[in-house]
Amino acid sequence: MRVSFAARAAVGAALVAASLAAAAPANASQQGVLTEVTCTTDKDKLQFQKFVGFARCFKGVGDLDVTPTWNTEANFVFTGNHAGWFSYEPTPGNVKVQSFGKYQTLSGSFYPLRHIHVDG
């Protein structure tokens, strides 16, 4: 039985994809790509909270530029099971970087947020 070139290419691509998925680190596949998520009582989320209670939450690994909104201010950061860094710009052109480890609580004037990096 003859197999077409297209069929062989499709099988080869599937095998490559499967081997890459198996080679991915377990923690990266469990956490997924860094994205903004709905804030809940889940303690493993990275949470940026203002004094008045408004919060933005993130989960996963990687890099994410934070879209400036009225809610990009943070006075408290709860890191959950995330470690990495984030940048903020307290005055135009003055970008600051804050590192964080897992299960920390940070307080300060971290706004406006510009970028978040979570280690994999």
Side-chain angles (χ1 to χ4, degrees):
M1 178 173 153
R2 294 178 62 85
V3 179
S4 72
F5 177 76
R8 284 184 285 184
V11 169
L15 289 173
V16 168
S19 67
L20 289 175
N27 63 346
S29 64
Q30 290 172 352
Q31 291 191 15
V33 176
L34 182 62
T35 56
E36 187 163 2
V37 295
T38 303
C39 293
T40 62
T41 57
D42 181 359
K43 302 290 187 213
D44 283 338
K45 291 184 175 137
L46 176 61
Q47 180 175 328
F48 293 84
Q49 185 173 348
K50 289 167 56 170
F51 278 121
V52 293
F54 294 107
R56 291 180 80 176
C57 295
F58 302 86
K59 197 165 190 174
V61 297
D63 287 275
L64 182 67
D65 287 330
V66 179
T67 305
T69 67
W70 63 274
N71 200 14
T72 55
E73 297 182 11
N75 298 106
F76 301 101
V77 179
F78 306 99
T79 65
N81 66 348
H82 298 81
W85 57 268
F86 60 89
S87 66
Y88 59 102
E89 192 172 7
T91 58
N94 182 22
V95 177
K96 296 188 181 256
V97 175
Q98 175 67 52
S99 297
F100 58 88
K102 292 183 177 189
Y103 302 105
Q104 288 185 324
T105 300
L106 308 172
S107 61
S109 297
F110 307 116
Y111 52 83
L113 291 173
R114 294 294 184 213
H115 187 86
I116 302 170
H117 169 82
V118 175
D119 300 333

